[in-house]
Structure formats: structure tokens, C-alpha cells
Amino acid sequence: MAAGVFKELLADHEFIDRVGHDFAREHLVLWVNRDGHRVVLHSSQTNPAALHNVSVLIDQWPDREVIDSSELAQWIDSSYANAMENAKGKSQLEIDEPQSHEDEIERLINEQDSDLLSTSGKSPVVRLIDGLLFDGIRKNASDIHFQPNQDGLLIRFRIDGALIDARTLPLRFAAPVTSRIKVMGNMDIAESRTPQDGRTSVTIGQGSAGDDLHEIDLRISTLPTSEGERVVIRFLDSNQGQRLATLDAIGMPETILAQYRAVSARPNGIILLTGPTGSGKTTTLYATLRYIATHGGATGGGDLNIMTIEDPIEYKLSTSGLSISQSQVNRKKGMTFASGLRHILRQDPDVVMVGEIRDAETAQIAIQSSLTGHLVFSTLHTNDSVSAPPRLIDLGIEPYLISASLSAVLAQRLVRKIHNDCHGEGCSECLNTGYSGRTGIFELLMMTDPIREMITESASATLIRKVASEEGWKSLREDGQRLIDASITTQTEIERVAIDLAEEIDL
């Protein structure tokens, strides 16, 4: 049947409300109402899975009609534009309380003119997600959480490592918000019983002369809970690699910085960074690789072949005059840390960065690589630096190999800095937390002869800690004290991120 006949019909309001414009346009699907019944319009190229997913979402399976693709695309655009026009005079975001939240999002949408915040042809739920994403990016959040509970849909930002409540939306927003985010991440909108992962990107700015165009990668994770699906979006600024902190700026004390630079300039060996997720390991590794690339490491010139295998690539390091090759893990294609490292070693590298040592195979290859003339960097999940050698032994690596290859272990944490403008009292600018920005605390275990001997003898972390302390090693807590003394952070903040293992042992 010709599309012109259908254009006398109205687009279904529930479809417009619950299915994003981008999804409808990409898959060429639109529901309309005819004589009190719903009809699904689609093209001959529409994926049947898309039709099924939408039917499951709305819980109806109407009759289907095929029409011309170009006419359907125009009709979809006009239907969403009309829906947006009809919403004028009402709350465009349909949020009744609190009024200040609505005003803030509307202000962001109205005052900004960018790809991310463009409202042309977008449905209310799409504009809502755009506004929340921009709000999080503007506040330098690393993640945004959408958590359904009995009170509504709680939205929280992780800022400077701490979760901050941003707003609560009515619970009726949970389903359309989750569906919209799934569409953005090319995820299955009909599947709500199993976890899903997706990714997409958004842009801020138009990129015209004088404008700073930012492309932000979004990593999306959904998880079913008893209250509904939780969604977490992580922000990754793909341009951030050009603005990453240098080794001089990440907050290392001078003594540790000098020692760390010295081992990073060696032609071989393995250097490990330890700490939990979100402790700044990747930032330090990237700053280290850029330092080596520009200073030439042990060769004294910028002629090194530097390669990485990461999961995922968080920031692009290569810029004009700075050549670093980055590869990404892809388990579906058989590209793991271990297999990727094997392939990298066939590329004649001088410096290799392995995103994480998770298993014995990766650890074995990394150790052997460092013993055959390569400088290797990687991360390991341990509480402190002295626990790294025993952890490698637990993975099945021979103690003598660890002693021969390991150059240093750097442990670190990120702590929030006191907000100077309010002297830590809390204000609107720091979201009443009393903190603004972060810096690092560090501990560096150097491989001295006594430490190597203890590793060869499979000594425990407790014994290694004792000997290292006698040689001047300082724990994370001890390094944190310098920031407390300088009124940069607080005792509470240091205790929040750093466990005093020495005190636990004394107990």
C-alpha cells in the first residue's frame, strides 16, 4: 500500500514515547493507529529482530505493512518532530518535582548548541538523556549511575572517586530511560533478564574554527536487580590522551619520582603498578609511556618502538611527533592479553605495556619478555607494592625469575583534595563535599639485593615489608601524611583509600 495513504494516520504515541528517534530511523520502523488498531510500518530492509524487540518492549504484536524506505524515513522524522512540538507549553522533560532539576536540564539544553545537546527532532526522553550526559561531563564525572529503587530512578555521578546523588526521577522513567540507553549502545532493548555491555560515542561542540570539538566514548553496562535494571555509563574522553598529566604533574613525591624515572629509563626489566580499579594506574602508565617516547629511555633519543595491549584502549596516545601503537583485547576474536603480547613481541618492540596481568600465561610471557631485552610495564591487583612478588608466585611464576626480572613495583591511590575556595566546609561549587579534584599517594618498592634475595626465597609480604621499611620504603599511609601536613587532603580521606597493613599485622 502506498505511503501516502498511511500519512493520514497518526503515529502511535506509546511508540514515540518509548522508542528513540535514532532507533526508529536506523531500523525504519514506525507504529501508527488505524481504525482503533495499531499497524507496524517498515521497509523491506528492516531487520525482523528490530520489529520483534519493539513488540516485546510495548508488549503487542500488531499487523505489519511494508512501504517505501525513503517515504517512511521522512514520515518518521516528521512524526517525532510533531511530537516534540506538541510537547511545548508542558514540561519538555515531564518532570514535575523538583522544579530546580527541570530548570537545570532545560537550561543546559536551551543554552548549549552542540551535537550532543541538539534538540532538533529528538523525543523528550532523548533530550533528557542528552541533558544528563552533558551535566555529568560538565561536572567532570567519570561515571553516571541509573539505579531504580522504591522511591524512583536515582541518578548519581561519580566525581573524584565518590558517588554523588544528582537527582531522583519518577519511577515511570526507568523503562524508557533504560531502553534509550540500550539503543545508544546497540544493545537488545527487549532483554532485561541478563547483563549487557555496549558502547557508543557523543560529541560536544561543532568543531568550527576556534571551537574545541570533544568526542566522548561511552561504555555502557546494564545489570538486572530486584528493583529493575541498573545502568552505568562510563565517560572516556578520546581526546584526553593529548591532555594527560605528565609524570611531573601526577603528584609523586620527588624521591619516588626520581627513582621511578630511573627504572623507567632502563632498556629491560618489568615494572608493575598495583592498586584497585580507579586508583589512577592507567594515567600513570600513559604518562610514563609519553615520557619515555619523548625522552628516549635508555637510548637518549626518541627512536623507541612502544606498543601496548589494553582492555580497553582508554585514551589515544599517538599525537603529532609521538608514535605509540595501541592494540585492544578482543576475546571474541581470540585476542587476549597473552596472545596479543605474543604478537606484539614479533613486532620488534623496545617498550611494551600490558594492560593487566590476570593469569599465569600472561605473567609468564611478560616475565620472559623482560628477560630477553624488553622493558615491560603492566598492572596487578594487590593492596600494596610488597604484595606483588608473592602474588606472582601464586600465579605459578618461579621466584628466581621474578627476582631476576622485576625492577620495581609502584602502588598508588587517588585522594580528593580539599576545596580551597570553601576551605573544605562544603559549597555549591564542590557539591557540598568539601573536596575538589584529586591527587595521588604512592609507595615504590625498588628491587635491592636484599629484596631480590627474599623474593628468591619466596618470602611473605610481611617479611618483604619489614626489610623494605628498614631500607627507607614508605607505605601509602606514610606518603599520605605529607598531603595532610600540607593541608592538601584530610586524614579521613587517606584512611578511606589506604589500609594500614602494618597496623593490622601488629594487631
Side-chain angles (χ1 to χ4, degrees):
M1 188 175 291
V5 175
F6 280 107
K7 286 197 175 181
E8 301 299 323
L9 308 176
L10 293 177
D12 183 77
H13 69 88
E14 186 177 4
F15 177 88
I16 295 293
D17 288 342
R18 303 193 67 181
V19 178
H21 182 199
D22 294 345
F23 182 92
R25 194 66 160 73
E26 177 183 352
H27 296 285
L28 289 175
V29 55
L30 179 68
W31 288 28
V32 297
N33 291 307
R34 179 177 61 189
D35 299 329
H37 299 283
R38 285 168 161 168
V39 178
V40 179
L41 306 182
H42 61 95
S43 79
S44 58
Q45 288 81 37
T46 299
N47 189 331
L51 299 175
H52 174 77
N53 285 350
V54 174
S55 295
V56 171
L57 176 67
I58 303 181
D59 196 25
Q60 285 197 24
W61 282 260
D63 295 333
R64 300 176 181 179
E65 299 281 354
V66 177
I67 68 173
D68 178 74
S69 297
S70 59
E71 289 195 65
L72 178 56
Q74 294 177 11
W75 194 3
I76 290 171
D77 290 343
S78 63
S79 295
Y80 279 88
N82 289 338
M84 185 178 64
E85 287 297 321
N86 292 335
K88 286 185 177 179
K90 303 177 182 178
S91 168
Q92 290 187 327
L93 302 178
E94 301 182 345
I95 301 175
D96 299 325
E97 292 183 0
Q99 187 67 31
S100 59
H101 291 167
E102 178 186 10
D103 292 344
E104 172 68 6
I105 296 296
E106 287 301 319
R107 183 185 65 80
L108 290 172
I109 292 174
N110 292 331
E111 292 184 0
Q112 300 296 326
D113 184 17
S114 66
D115 293 341
L116 176 61
L117 299 176
S118 173
T119 61
S120 177
K122 293 187 177 181
S123 68
V125 71
V126 173
R127 294 199 307 275
L128 170 61
I129 298 301
D130 287 355
L132 291 171
L133 291 177
F134 180 75
D135 195 20
I137 293 168
R138 181 175 63 89
K139 292 175 178 174
N140 294 317
S142 61
D143 305 82
I144 177 172
H145 292 231
F146 297 84
Q147 180 179 347
N149 55 41
Q150 293 181 347
D151 298 324
L153 181 63
L154 176 62
I155 298 172
R156 299 190 289 179
F157 295 135
R158 186 172 294 279
I159 300 174
D160 293 335
L163 271 177
I164 308 295
D165 290 354
R167 67 192 75 231
T168 299
L169 302 180
L171 193 57
R172 68 179 184 274
F173 274 71
V177 163
T178 301
S179 296
R180 165 58 188 166
I181 294 173
K182 284 182 175 180
V183 169
M184 292 173 62
N186 293 312
M187 301 153 75
D188 187 348
I189 62 174
E191 181 54 72
S192 60
R193 295 167 295 181
T194 60
Q196 295 188 62
D197 294 309
R199 57 189 312 165
T200 186
S201 61
V202 294
T203 55
I204 298 178
Q206 296 185 3
S208 57
D211 286 344
D212 185 13
L213 179 64
H214 287 233
E215 181 175 340
I216 310 294
D217 292 327
L218 307 180
R219 284 163 50 191
I220 304 169
S221 172
T222 68
L223 180 71
T225 72
S226 59
E227 302 289 345
E229 281 189 281
R230 281 195 54 159
V231 180
V232 176
I233 301 176
R234 169 153 291 186
F235 300 120
L236 296 173
D237 186 347
S238 59
N239 297 326
Q240 183 68 21
Q242 302 176 23
R243 302 186 294 274
L244 285 173
T246 63
L247 280 178
D248 292 308
I250 61 177
M252 283 189 195
E254 288 298 326
T255 53
I256 289 181
L257 179 58
Q259 290 177 309
Y260 182 74
R261 273 184 172 158
V263 294
S264 298
R266 294 177 183 175
N268 53 54
I270 183 167
I271 299 171
L272 295 177
L273 274 69
T274 73
T277 301
S279 59
K281 299 187 300 295
T282 299
T283 298
T284 300
L285 279 173
Y286 281 0
T288 304
L289 294 182
R290 294 185 62 159
Y291 172 79
I292 294 172
T294 54
H295 291 78
T299 68
D303 54 356
L304 296 177
N305 181 15
I306 302 175
M307 306 187 70
T308 77
I309 175 71
E310 306 173 54
D311 183 24
I313 295 173
E314 295 197 16
Y315 306 121
K316 297 174 184 177
L317 289 173
S318 288
T319 58
S320 178
L322 185 66
S323 179
I324 298 175
S325 299
Q326 296 173 268
S327 301
Q328 182 162 304
V329 165
N330 186 341
R331 291 178 182 80
K332 292 181 180 179
K333 302 295 184 181
M335 180 75 155
T336 63
F337 279 123
S339 63
L341 180 53
R342 283 198 186 94
H343 289 294
I344 283 176
L345 293 175
R346 298 170 190 155
Q347 296 283 316
D348 187 30
D350 297 296
V351 180
V352 177
M353 191 269 272
V354 184
E356 184 182 347
I357 292 179
R358 296 177 178 173
D359 52 51
E361 184 181 14
T362 306
Q364 189 71 46
I365 300 170
I367 293 285
Q368 292 293 345
S369 302
S370 68
L371 291 172
T372 55
H374 302 91
L375 179 61
V376 180
F377 292 87
S378 191
T379 69
L380 195 66
H381 281 290
T382 61
N383 284 327
D384 58 5
S385 58
V386 297
S387 299
R391 173 59 180 151
L392 291 174
I393 294 174
D394 290 343
L395 286 174
I397 307 301
E398 293 292 340
Y400 75 91
L401 291 176
I402 301 171
S403 175
S405 62
L406 193 59
S407 297
V409 183
L410 180 74
Q412 67 179 81
R413 299 289 191 277
L414 291 177
V415 295
R416 292 180 293 175
K417 298 190 294 184
I418 296 172
H419 187 213
N420 289 330
D421 290 351
C422 67
H423 306 288
E425 295 296 326
C427 63
S428 59
E429 186 178 340
C430 66
L431 302 179
N432 296 313
T433 63
Y435 298 98
S436 179
R438 289 190 290 179
T439 188
I441 57 174
F442 304 87
E443 64 178 40
L444 180 66
L445 179 68
M446 296 292 293
M447 292 298 107
T448 62
D449 289 340
I451 298 296
R452 291 186 189 279
E453 184 177 345
M454 296 194 72
I455 294 173
T456 302
E457 297 173 353
S458 300
S460 67
T462 302
L463 293 176
I464 295 175
R465 183 181 296 106
K466 183 177 182 298
V467 172
S469 296
E470 294 171 354
E471 295 183 336
W473 171 89
K474 294 184 181 298
S475 69
L476 289 166
R477 281 285 190 95
E478 290 173 312
D479 186 48
Q481 189 61 46
R482 69 182 170 87
L483 300 182
I484 297 172
D485 295 341
S487 298
I488 294 174
T489 192
T490 63
Q491 181 73 39
T492 301
E493 186 66 6
I494 297 298
E495 293 175 353
R496 181 180 70 87
V497 302
I499 301 172
D500 194 333
L501 296 174
E503 285 186 4
E504 290 188 350
I505 291 167
D506 289 341
L507 293 175

